[in-house]
Coordinates of all heavy atoms in Angstrom, one line a residue:
V1 N -27.9 310.6 145.3 CA -26.8 311.3 144.8 C -27.1 312.7 144.5 O -26.4 313.7 144.8 CB -26.1 310.6 143.7 CG1 -24.9 311.5 143.0 CG2 -25.4 309.3 144.1
A2 N -28.2 313.0 143.7 CA -28.6 314.2 143.3 C -29.0 315.2 144.5 O -28.6 316.4 144.5 CB -29.7 314.2 142.3
S3 N -29.7 314.6 145.3 CA -30.3 315.3 146.5 C -29.1 315.5 147.7 O -29.2 316.5 148.4 CB -31.5 314.7 147.1 OG -31.2 313.4 147.5
A4 N -28.3 314.6 147.7 CA -27.3 314.7 148.8 C -26.4 315.9 148.6 O -26.0 316.5 149.7 CB -26.3 313.4 148.7
S5 N -26.1 316.3 147.4 CA -25.3 317.6 147.2 C -25.9 318.7 147.9 O -25.3 319.7 148.4 CB -24.9 317.8 145.8 OG -26.1 318.0 145.1
I6 N -27.2 318.8 147.8 CA -27.9 319.9 148.4 C -28.1 319.7 150.0 O -27.7 320.7 150.8 CB -29.4 320.1 147.9 CG1 -29.3 320.3 146.4 CG2 -30.2 321.1 148.6 CD1 -30.6 320.3 145.6
L7 N -28.5 318.6 150.4 CA -28.7 318.4 151.8 C -27.4 318.4 152.7 O -27.4 318.9 153.7 CB -29.5 317.0 152.0 CG -30.9 316.8 151.3 CD1 -31.4 315.5 151.6 CD2 -31.8 317.9 151.9
L8 N -26.5 317.8 152.1 CA -25.1 317.8 152.9 C -24.5 319.1 152.8 O -23.8 319.5 153.8 CB -24.2 316.7 152.2 CG -24.6 315.3 152.4 CD1 -23.6 314.3 151.7 CD2 -24.6 314.9 153.9
I9 N -24.6 319.9 151.8 CA -24.2 321.3 151.8 C -24.9 322.1 152.9 O -24.1 322.8 153.7 CB -24.4 322.0 150.4 CG1 -23.5 321.4 149.4 CG2 -24.3 323.5 150.5 CD1 -23.8 321.8 147.9
I10 N -26.1 322.0 153.0 CA -26.9 322.7 154.1 C -26.4 322.2 155.5 O -26.2 322.9 156.5 CB -28.4 322.5 153.9 CG1 -28.8 323.1 152.5 CG2 -29.1 323.1 155.0 CD1 -30.2 322.8 152.2
Y11 N -26.4 320.8 155.6 CA -26.0 320.2 156.9 C -24.7 320.7 157.3 O -24.4 321.1 158.5 CB -26.1 318.7 156.7 CG -25.6 317.9 158.0 CD1 -26.3 317.9 159.1 CD2 -24.3 317.3 157.9 CE1 -25.8 317.2 160.3 CE2 -23.8 316.6 158.9 CZ -24.5 316.6 160.2 OH -24.0 315.9 161.2
R12 N -23.7 320.5 156.4 CA -22.3 320.9 156.9 C -22.2 322.3 157.2 O -21.5 322.7 158.2 CB -21.3 320.5 155.7 CG -20.9 319.2 155.6 CD -20.1 318.7 156.8 NE -18.9 319.6 157.1 CZ -18.3 319.6 158.2 NH1 -18.6 318.8 159.2 NH2 -17.3 320.4 158.4
F13 N -22.8 323.2 156.5 CA -22.6 324.6 156.8 C -23.3 325.0 158.1 O -22.7 325.7 159.0 CB -23.3 325.6 155.6 CG -22.9 327.0 155.9 CD1 -21.6 327.5 155.4 CD2 -23.9 327.8 156.3 CE1 -21.4 328.9 155.5 CE2 -23.6 329.2 156.6 CZ -22.3 329.6 156.0
Y14 N -24.5 324.4 158.3 CA -25.2 324.7 159.5 C -24.5 324.1 160.7 O -24.3 324.8 161.8 CB -26.6 324.1 159.4 CG -27.5 324.4 160.6 CD1 -28.3 325.6 160.7 CD2 -27.6 323.5 161.7 CE1 -29.0 325.8 161.8 CE2 -28.3 323.8 162.8 CZ -29.0 325.0 162.8 OH -29.9 325.3 163.9
R15 N -24.0 322.9 160.6 CA -23.4 322.2 161.7 C -22.1 322.9 162.2 O -21.7 323.2 163.3 CB -23.1 320.9 161.5 CG -22.4 320.1 162.6 CD -22.2 318.6 162.3 NE -21.5 317.9 163.3 CZ -21.2 316.6 163.3 NH1 -21.5 315.9 162.3 NH2 -20.5 316.1 164.3
S16 N -21.3 323.3 161.1 CA -20.0 323.8 161.4 C -19.9 325.3 161.6 O -18.9 325.9 162.1 CB -19.1 323.5 160.2 OG -19.5 324.2 159.0
M17 N -21.0 326.0 161.4 CA -21.0 327.5 161.6 C -22.0 328.0 162.7 O -21.6 329.0 163.3 CB -21.4 328.1 160.2 CG -20.4 327.9 159.1 SD -18.8 328.6 159.4 CE -19.1 330.3 159.0
V18 N -23.0 327.3 163.0 CA -24.0 327.8 164.0 C -24.3 326.9 165.1 O -25.1 327.3 165.9 CB -25.3 328.4 163.3 CG1 -25.0 329.3 162.3 CG2 -26.0 327.1 162.6
T19 N -23.8 325.7 165.2 CA -24.0 324.8 166.3 C -22.7 324.8 167.2 O -21.9 325.7 167.1 CB -24.2 323.4 165.8 OG1 -23.2 322.9 165.1 CG2 -25.4 323.4 164.9
E20 N -22.7 323.9 168.1 CA -21.5 323.7 169.0 C -20.2 323.7 168.2 O -19.2 324.3 168.7 CB -21.6 322.6 169.9 CG -22.7 322.6 171.0 CD -24.1 322.2 170.3 OE1 -24.2 322.0 169.1 OE2 -25.1 322.3 171.1
E21 N -20.2 323.0 167.1 CA -18.9 323.1 166.4 C -18.5 324.4 165.8 O -17.4 324.6 165.6 CB -19.1 322.1 165.1 CG -17.9 321.8 164.4 CD -18.1 320.8 163.2 OE1 -19.1 320.0 163.2 OE2 -17.4 320.9 162.2
G22 N -19.5 325.3 165.7 CA -19.2 326.7 165.3 C -18.3 327.4 166.3 O -17.6 328.3 165.8
Y23 N -18.5 327.0 167.6 CA -17.5 327.7 168.6 C -16.1 327.5 168.2 O -15.3 328.5 168.2 CB -17.8 327.2 170.0 CG -19.1 327.7 170.6 CD1 -20.2 326.8 170.7 CD2 -19.1 328.9 171.2 CE1 -21.4 327.3 171.3 CE2 -20.3 329.4 171.7 CZ -21.4 328.6 171.9 OH -22.5 329.1 172.4
L24 N -15.7 326.2 167.8 CA -14.4 326.0 167.4 C -14.0 326.6 166.2 O -12.8 327.3 166.0 CB -14.2 324.4 167.4 CG -12.8 323.9 166.9 CD1 -11.7 324.4 167.9 CD2 -12.8 322.4 166.7
M25 N -14.9 326.6 165.2 CA -14.6 327.2 163.9 C -14.3 328.6 164.0 O -13.3 329.1 163.4 CB -15.8 326.9 162.8 CG -15.9 325.5 162.6 SD -14.5 324.7 161.6 CE -14.7 325.6 160.1
H26 N -15.1 329.3 164.8 CA -15.0 330.9 164.8 C -13.8 331.2 165.8 O -13.5 332.5 165.8 CB -16.3 331.4 165.3 CG -17.4 331.3 164.3 ND1 -17.4 332.0 163.1 CD2 -18.5 330.5 164.3 CE1 -18.5 331.6 162.4 NE2 -19.1 330.8 163.2
T27 N -13.1 330.3 166.5 CA -12.0 330.7 167.3 C -10.7 330.5 166.5 O -9.7 331.0 167.0 CB -12.0 329.7 168.6 OG1 -11.9 328.4 168.2 CG2 -13.2 330.0 169.5
L28 N -10.8 329.9 165.3 CA -9.6 329.7 164.5 C -9.1 331.2 164.0 O -10.0 332.0 163.7 CB -9.9 328.8 163.3 CG -10.3 327.3 163.6 CD1 -10.6 326.6 162.4 CD2 -9.0 326.7 164.3
P29 N -7.8 331.3 163.8 CA -7.3 332.6 163.3 C -7.6 332.8 161.8 O -6.6 332.9 161.1 CB -5.8 332.6 163.7 CG -5.5 331.1 163.6 CD -6.8 330.4 164.1
V30 N -8.8 332.6 161.4 CA -9.2 332.7 160.0 C -10.3 333.6 159.7 O -11.3 333.7 160.6 CB -9.5 331.2 159.5 CG1 -9.9 331.3 158.0 CG2 -8.4 330.2 159.8
S31 N -10.3 334.4 158.7 CA -11.4 335.3 158.4 C -12.7 334.6 158.1 O -12.7 333.4 157.6 CB -11.0 336.3 157.2 OG -10.9 335.5 156.0
T32 N -13.8 335.4 158.3 CA -15.1 334.8 158.0 C -15.2 334.5 156.5 O -15.8 333.5 156.1 CB -16.2 335.7 158.4 OG1 -16.1 336.1 159.9 CG2 -17.6 335.1 158.2
E33 N -14.6 335.4 155.7 CA -14.6 335.2 154.3 C -14.0 333.8 153.8 O -14.4 333.1 153.0 CB -13.9 336.3 153.5 CG -14.7 337.6 153.6 CD -14.2 338.4 154.8 OE1 -13.6 337.9 155.8 OE2 -14.4 339.6 154.9
S34 N -12.9 333.5 154.6 CA -12.2 332.3 154.2 C -13.1 331.0 154.6 O -13.1 330.0 153.9 CB -10.8 332.2 155.0 OG -9.9 333.2 154.5
H35 N -13.7 331.1 155.7 CA -14.6 330.0 156.0 C -15.8 329.8 155.0 O -16.0 328.7 154.6 CB -15.3 330.4 157.4 CG -14.5 330.0 158.6 ND1 -14.0 328.8 158.9 CD2 -14.0 330.9 159.6 CE1 -13.3 328.8 160.1 NE2 -13.3 330.1 160.4
I36 N -16.4 331.0 154.7 CA -17.4 330.8 153.6 C -16.9 330.3 152.3 O -17.5 329.5 151.7 CB -18.1 332.2 153.5 CG1 -18.8 332.6 154.9 CG2 -19.2 332.1 152.4 CD1 -19.3 334.0 154.8
F37 N -15.8 330.9 151.8 CA -15.2 330.5 150.5 C -14.8 329.1 150.5 O -15.0 328.5 149.5 CB -14.0 331.5 150.2 CG -13.5 331.4 148.8 CD1 -14.2 331.9 147.8 CD2 -12.4 330.5 148.6 CE1 -13.8 331.7 146.5 CE2 -11.9 330.4 147.3 CZ -12.6 331.0 146.2
S38 N -14.2 328.6 151.6 CA -13.7 327.2 151.6 C -14.9 326.3 151.5 O -14.9 325.3 150.7 CB -12.9 326.9 152.8 OG -13.7 327.0 154.0
K39 N -16.0 326.6 152.2 CA -17.2 325.7 152.2 C -17.8 325.8 150.9 O -18.4 324.9 150.3 CB -18.0 326.1 153.3 CG -17.5 325.8 154.7 CD -18.5 326.1 155.8 CE -17.9 325.9 157.2 NZ -17.3 324.5 157.4
L40 N -17.9 327.1 150.2 CA -18.5 327.2 148.9 C -17.8 326.5 147.9 O -18.3 325.8 147.1 CB -18.5 328.8 148.6 CG -19.1 329.1 147.3 CD1 -20.6 328.7 147.1 CD2 -18.9 330.6 147.1
T41 N -16.4 326.4 147.9 CA -15.7 325.9 146.9 C -15.8 324.3 147.0 O -16.0 323.6 146.0 CB -14.2 326.1 147.1 OG1 -14.0 327.5 147.0 CG2 -13.3 325.5 146.0
V42 N -15.8 323.8 148.3 CA -15.9 322.3 148.3 C -17.3 321.9 148.0 O -17.5 320.9 147.4 CB -15.6 321.9 149.8 CG1 -16.0 320.4 150.1 CG2 -14.2 322.2 150.1
A43 N -18.3 322.8 148.3 CA -19.7 322.4 147.9 C -19.9 322.3 146.5 O -20.6 321.5 145.9 CB -20.7 323.4 148.6
S44 N -19.1 323.3 145.8 CA -19.2 323.3 144.3 C -18.6 322.1 143.7 O -19.0 321.5 142.7 CB -18.7 324.7 143.8 OG -19.2 325.7 144.3
I45 N -17.4 321.7 144.3 CA -16.8 320.5 143.8 C -17.6 319.3 143.9 O -17.8 318.4 143.0 CB -15.5 320.3 144.6 CG1 -14.4 321.3 144.2 CG2 -14.8 318.9 144.4 CD1 -13.2 321.4 145.2

């Protein structure tokens, strides 16, 4: 549980921002700041 918060934060950001899934994320009509802030907020939660 303690390590998952770190590993999953890294995994989710990497997968959704710089892999194939990133193509879809970056085509959304959303600013880069919103992408980062949403992931940061959820990671903190």
